[in-house]
Amino acid sequence: MFKQRILGIALVAVVYFIAGKLALLLAIPPGYATAVWPAAGIALALLLLNGYHLWLGVLLGSFLVNIDFANFQSEVWEDFYPTLWLTLIIGVGASVQAIVGVWLLRRFVGYPFELDTVQSVWRFILYGCGIGCMPGATIGASALWLTGRLATENYWFNWFTWWVGDGLGVMIFATLIFVFYAQPREVWRSRRRILPAVLLGVTFVVVSLYVTASRWELSRQQADFNGRTEQVFQRAQSVIDAHLATLYSVQGLFAASKEVTKADFRVFAGGILARNPGFQAVAWNVRVAGEDRRLLESQMSDEMRTPIFITRRDHNGEMVLQDKKDDYVVVRYIEPLAKNLTALAYDIGSADLPRKALLRAAETQAPAVTDPIRLVQESGSQKGVVIYLPVNMSAAGDVLKGYVSGVFRVKDLMGFLLAPDFLQGVSVSVFDATGGALYRSDKTDPLGRDALIVERRVLRVADQDWLFQTDANQSFLVGTRSVVSWGMLAAGLLFTGLLGMSFLVLTGQKHRSEVVGDELKVMLAQLQETQEHLVEAEKMASLGGLVAGFAHELNTPLGIAITAESTLSADLQRLHEMLLTLNKPSIELSELLVRLQEASRIVLANIQRAGSLISSFKQVSVDQATAETRDINLHEYLSDVFVHLSPSYRRSGHEVILDCPRTISLRTVPGGLAQVVINLLNNSLIHAFAEGEHGRISLTVSQHESGVNLVFSDNGIGMAAEHAKKVFEPFFTTRRGSGGTGLGLHLVYNIVRQQLQGQIKVSTQVERGMHFYIALPLAINKFVA
């Protein structure tokens, strides 16, 4: 039993998993609900038919369907743990829904059910497909919302879609399972021809409508998304280009001026920063030879009125004094100074990434951007990028004077460029040339793996190409969604409900009409049989009455004739004695007396035979009022009858068999039953077998709910069909010249029909023997006359 339960749970889990995975192919954005969820119907049907213990299989199957297998590859427990709990909660919702649905159906519809009336079908739809499907949608959508997988504005749409999908799954696929496995089996079996085709057709129509609407919706949203992506990208590219143009203006300042003071730079850079808030800082980075280092440090110390030395970062990230070198690129001026004071006098060439950018800029004489780095002035872990633009000081432009630079925090820059009000539901991700993530406009996956629509473009930043990716988040889907999907789902639910209800009722009523028709046919056959029996009984009763009346009328004159003839015979005997006393009576007189005595004996013998025949006629009219009714053990009583009859059939050499269960008790007229058996046995002994033939005669008894059946048969010569029709008529015999009177079977018929309140039929063919079928009640009704 335990192994069977485990096997059943595993089977439910596998079926639920397969059905769920197939259904997820039709999931609507953002992919948490689908138009039809067959697994819900399968789960409810299996629990209803096999028991509540299968709920664990539903939970396991749902868990496997919804788990995010990609998170198993994550080395971060925090990424895996929420997914595990989320899928487990959704599985709990699915199993609770199946249990609640089964309870509602058993409580308000009842099982087994036929669903052949409008009221019962409406209850099935209301409780099984409506109320019963709310727990799964509520628990699942709420879990997704609480874990941040589902936006608040998208909650009700997904809840509705989830509920409709489960409802259609129950309405269609639970009903399909009922057709093949539900009770009462004969009712649901009658629906196999048409109902599965209708339900599968409805599923195809609903899915087709859904797919059509979804494709139209996606194409419209794709076009809207492409237009919005173009706006976002152009804004980002234009703002970055504007910042680069600003750096060119700073380059022009230092290229055209022999000397730019700290105050000059502050005024010039202040205007730039006010117009371009994307800059974290703007700096002038002077190139200094090794022998000029102390002069530069002295000048900067005088300007800042505090000791200034050229610095670098050590391997721990701490600012330390720079070692002696032949050449330095030092941050000479930087604005805003207060926020970037730690970067002042920093040797840019001391770090690998900035040094690579400086070399590219000097070589190409064009802007060069660093890979993401930790800024010198940054106290946190946020990274930034720096764009360097070379400045030459000779007329030929071949002597590098230094670099102007723009410092950016990527997050701050993109946040300035791409405000949420501007994005309007579009998520933006920016990746550097190495594929590293620089920016994400929201907290979802920066790779956009769960996004419905993704667009990628190349954002040109100085000498690097950054990947600029946009994807549609849930806010975008809600903001651009039309009512078409809702309408299709609602129409599918309504259409399926009405059509399914109609065909359930129609097929149920069709089966009911077929059953009623079959019952009417049986009743008609019974009425026809009863009519035939009544006609036959009336005929036999009329014949019996005729015979009995005829016998009654003949009985008196025959009695008088017998009396008179007996007296005449006695007188003739006295006359004969008187003649013997006479001397020498005449020969002629003696002969006359002898002839009269002989004639008297012949007349008396025939009159007595006629009287005996009339006595037999009178037995045809059975008086039930005088019949004794009592309880008997049928086996014991019939055995006694056969024992008393054994001398008659043993002399003939025939085999007589009684097959009767020992447990049958019967309340009947034992005398009438014995008379029936005796007459049938005598009929077989007299008519069934040829002279010297040894046959087989059997009486087989069986019991049913309301009575017993007796089959009396022999393997004799039988009779033709036209004779079998008359076998119960009085005076009908096939052995007229051999002593048969034709009254034995007629007497059997009357006893069975009137005294024993049963029925008797005969079946025979030539050379196939005779078979009498007698049906008797377990207890006769003593009030039936």
Side-chain angles (χ1 to χ4, degrees), residues 27 49 76 81 93 109 157 271 372 400 417 428 453 457 461 486 551 587 595 629 648 666 780 782:
L49 298 178
V76 182
Y81 185 74
V109 182
F157 179 81
L400 183 63
L417 296 177
V428 175
I453 309 173
R457 304 201 179 188
V461 181
W486 287 72
I587 296 175
R595 285 196 302 273
T629 302
S648 61
L666 202 64
I780 65 172
K782 63 181 180 179

Side-chain angles (χ1 to χ4, degrees), residues 225-301:
F225 176 78
N226 290 341
R228 193 167 299 178
T229 296
E230 181 66 24
Q231 294 177 2
V232 172
F233 175 77
Q234 291 298 336
R235 175 180 173 85
Q237 186 67 70
S238 63
V239 171
I240 289 175
D241 291 344
H243 283 70
L244 285 175
T246 301
L247 286 182
Y248 275 103
S249 67
V250 180
Q251 180 197 41
L253 171 66
F254 284 94
S257 303
K258 291 183 179 180
E259 182 180 359
V260 178
T261 66
K262 177 183 176 183
D264 294 336
F265 184 78
R266 180 184 298 115
V267 173
F268 192 85
I272 291 175
L273 293 173
R275 295 188 300 272
N276 300 277
F279 281 117
Q280 169 69 18
V282 177
W284 162 241
N285 310 292
V286 65
R287 182 185 179 202
V288 180
E291 62 270 17
D292 296 330
R293 171 178 178 173
R294 292 200 177 275
L295 177 61
L296 176 65
E297 289 176 343
S298 176
Q299 290 176 348
M300 294 181 68
S301 296

Side-chain angles (χ1 to χ4, degrees), residues 1 18 27 72 275 301 417 420 440 455 478 741 758 761 767:
M1 186 66 178
I18 295 174
F72 282 113
R275 295 188 300 272
S301 296
L417 296 177
R440 175 69 178 180
E455 185 76 16
V478 173
T741 64
K761 295 186 295 184
E767 304 299 333

Side-chain angles (χ1 to χ4, degrees), residues 617-677:
F617 291 167
K618 292 177 67 178
Q619 291 183 14
V620 172
S621 178
V622 181
D623 185 3
Q624 294 189 75
T626 60
E628 179 187 0
T629 302
R630 62 186 175 90
D631 294 324
I632 60 171
N633 181 286
L634 191 57
H635 178 271
E636 295 177 357
Y637 187 80
L638 292 177
S639 298
D640 291 341
V641 172
F642 274 79
V643 168
H644 287 89
L645 294 175
S646 59
S648 61
Y649 62 77
R650 284 178 179 173
R651 288 194 302 268
S652 63
H654 299 304
E655 180 185 12
V656 178
I657 299 173
L658 172 63
D659 182 9
C660 177
R662 297 179 179 273
T663 58
I664 299 178
S665 295
L666 202 64
R667 183 171 184 80
T668 187
V669 180
L673 181 59
Q675 187 66 40
V676 169
V677 174

